[in-house]
Amino acid sequence: SQQGEEDPQALSIQEGENATMNCSYKTSINNLQWYRQNSGRGLVHLILIRSNEREKHSGRLRVTLDTSKKSSSLLITASRAADTASYFCATDPNDYKLSFGAGTTVTVRA
Amino acid sequence: ETGVTQSPTHLIKTRGQQVTLRCSSQSGHNTVSWYQQALGQGPQFIFQYYREEENGRGNFPPRFSGLQFPNYSSELNVNALELDDSALYLCASSLAGGNHNEKLFFGSGTQLSVL
């Protein structure tokens, strides 16, 4: 079973628009991470937010974390065609196991 | 590029056979985790190795086994292959040391098809 669940499953937007996806998880965490995966490739780490942080920015990415609701959101601003990928949230309910959700597939149309 | 390399990139096997997948960690990383990713799903944790010892295991049967070598490279072995073992197998290295999870550096994966 997966600890995190992303919503929506799929998202299609126009280039230049913002993309927002959400992640809900079940148990308490030390940190939450977001990863990107281009089709059939390995995952690339985007951003890590610790349980005592509420918001974090990295370039065009903004991540929020609400531990009371056990949820996180990833916002990509001013999307580009190169942002087309699947995005996964990952949490660490145990010390050694990073647990991934099923992902949100984002398509950015030119 | 993450510095994590996996081989082979693609592999076709038949049911009942055995397979070995290989992973070279990013330089200086002492922890390797293996994940299985079925089509359209997120990665599922198989196990983790820290300094050559298994340091945690997911919900996978014993026919999934692994090794980590003194240079921190790693192998994933799967015996008695089943059709459902068809998936992308991802290796990830980190400096976590088994204490808590920091970011993982993933290889590009091995796509295994079992016929």
Side-chain angles (χ1 to χ4, degrees):
Chain A
S1 63
Q2 292 174 309
Q3 154 81 327
E5 290 186 7
E6 290 89 346
D7 172 64
Q9 289 186 332
L11 187 57
S12 180
I13 56 173
Q14 201 74 27
E15 203 165 24
E17 293 181 336
N18 296 340
T20 300
M21 60 210 85
N22 303 296
C23 169
S24 59
Y25 57 92
K26 299 172 185 173
T27 64
S28 61
I29 60 173
N30 294 308
N31 61 60
L32 185 143
Q33 304 181 43
W34 286 90
Y35 287 80
R36 184 187 73 227
Q37 183 179 38
N38 290 93
S39 180
R41 305 287 292 174
L43 282 74
V44 175
H45 180 267
L46 295 176
I47 198 164
L48 180 153
I49 185 166
R50 300 196 184 279
S51 59
N52 61 353
E53 297 175 311
R54 291 297 168 258
E55 187 171 313
K56 202 162 183 180
H57 296 254
S58 177
R60 294 183 295 111
L61 305 179
R62 172 178 170 256
V63 169
T64 63
L65 179 64
D66 187 336
T67 53
S68 67
K69 295 181 179 178
K70 293 186 171 59
S71 68
S72 174
S73 68
L74 171 66
L75 168 67
I76 305 172
T77 61
S79 63
R80 306 166 181 169
D83 295 328
T84 294
S86 292
Y87 293 82
F88 296 89
C89 69
T91 57
D92 61 343
N94 301 314
D95 281 342
Y96 51 78
K97 168 185 170 181
L98 200 61
S99 181
F100 289 83
T104 293
T105 299
V106 175
T107 302
V108 181
R109 306 185 306 273
Chain B
E1 293 297 322
T2 63
V4 179
T5 58
Q6 291 187 243
S7 63
T9 55
H10 295 83
L11 200 52
I12 299 175
K13 291 284 189 178
T14 57
R15 194 169 48 182
Q17 284 188 313
Q18 179 266 343
V19 68
T20 298
L21 310 181
R22 295 179 174 83
C23 172
S24 293
S25 304
Q26 180 162 319
S27 178
H29 284 184
N30 57 19
T31 305
V32 172
S33 303
W34 284 92
Y35 286 82
Q36 180 196 67
Q37 186 178 22
L39 190 64
Q41 300 296 316
Q44 295 289 314
F45 176 76
I46 303 175
F47 43 57
Q48 182 184 85
Y49 279 83
Y50 169 59
R51 294 185 176 179
E52 303 178 58
E53 297 286 332
E54 187 177 290
N55 186 41
R57 189 179 182 91
N59 189 26
F60 280 81
R63 59 189 185 86
F64 285 78
S65 63
L67 282 174
Q68 187 180 30
F69 300 100
N71 65 355
Y72 302 136
S73 66
S74 178
E75 285 182 355
L76 164 66
N77 299 290
V78 186
N79 294 322
L81 283 167
E82 301 177 0
L83 298 180
D84 285 348
D85 295 334
S86 295
L88 181 67
Y89 288 85
L90 295 163
C91 162
S93 73
S94 64
L95 273 171
N99 292 322
H100 61 89
N101 279 290
E102 295 297 338
K103 66 179 184 179
L104 300 182
F105 294 79
F106 281 86
S108 295
T110 294
Q111 184 65 55
L112 173 65
S113 298
V114 182
L115 306 179

